[in-house]
Amino acid sequence: MLLPLLALVDLALLGVLRGMNRLPPVGGGDFAALYTTLLLSSTAALALGLLCSAAVSDAAQATLMLPMLCFPQVLFVGAILPVPAMADGGRWLSYAMSNRWAFEGLGHSAGVERLWRDGGSPLGPPLLQTYGDSFSRPVWIDWLVLGGFVLLALVATWAVLVRREARRAS
């Protein structure tokens, strides 16, 4: 039930960002790619939330679990510290963060590499060097990874619920 609402919120977010000139100018295809990436990221977050909800027995446990899920998603996405600049452990952890793949997919679709290379800002070339090839992968690969996160979380949710129901029945 939440997915249609998330789809509208994602579209509104992109519309507001575009209307306020906070997005680089992109064509219809790139706008659709940005939207698809946001929607897949929202779906992955929703699926992870469902898994957490299924795994705990009360709201207090869910509240305690929330920081353990959110902080790594923020720290290892690559926005604060680029993935190529992370220590090996951080780089490996970043592979397990759905937000990393959304961030890199959004950067690809928004043309961040081109903007940094050709935008004329003195900050562009150092940023391009620091982020390396983070935004050069085709966006459909990021979508596949995000889809995998969705599938994995939904299957895990189903398994937790089946196990919980089996315990109740016995």
Side-chain angles (χ1 to χ4, degrees):
M1 288 188 59
L2 284 177
L3 196 54
L5 179 60
L6 286 172
L8 288 174
V9 168
D10 289 341
L11 190 59
L13 172 72
L14 284 176
V16 167
L17 289 174
R18 185 67 230 131
M20 296 178 72
N21 205 26
R22 300 305 300 166
L23 278 180
V26 294
D30 286 333
F31 189 86
L34 288 169
Y35 179 68
T36 300
T37 305
L38 275 180
L39 188 56
L40 283 168
S41 178
S42 297
T43 306
L46 178 61
L48 184 60
L50 289 172
L51 173 60
C52 293
S53 177
V56 298
S57 57
D58 62 39
Q61 288 178 332
T63 303
L64 290 172
M65 186 182 281
L66 191 61
M68 292 186 292
L69 295 171
C70 293
F71 289 145
Q73 288 284 355
V74 171
L75 294 175
F76 298 107
V77 68
I80 296 172
L81 179 66
V83 172
M86 289 180 186
D88 289 340
R91 201 170 314 123
W92 280 104
L93 279 172
S94 75
Y95 283 102
M97 303 296 129
S98 62
N99 282 350
R100 173 202 171 164
W101 305 99
F103 175 69
E104 292 181 5
L106 291 168
H108 175 84
S109 298
V112 168
E113 279 188 328
R114 178 185 38 74
L115 187 64
W116 285 344
R117 186 180 54 249
D118 304 331
S121 169
L123 297 176
L127 283 170
L128 192 57
Q129 183 179 5
T130 304
Y131 276 90
D133 63 352
S134 295
F135 306 112
S136 61
R137 175 178 46 256
V139 72
W140 63 266
I141 294 173
D142 297 309
W143 294 347
L144 283 176
V145 174
L146 286 167
F149 276 103
V150 171
L151 186 61
L152 181 66
L154 291 177
V155 167
T157 302
W158 173 79
V160 167
L161 291 174
V162 166
R163 184 172 180 212
R164 179 179 286 173
E165 190 59 34
R167 273 197 238 153
R168 276 191 203 157
S170 54

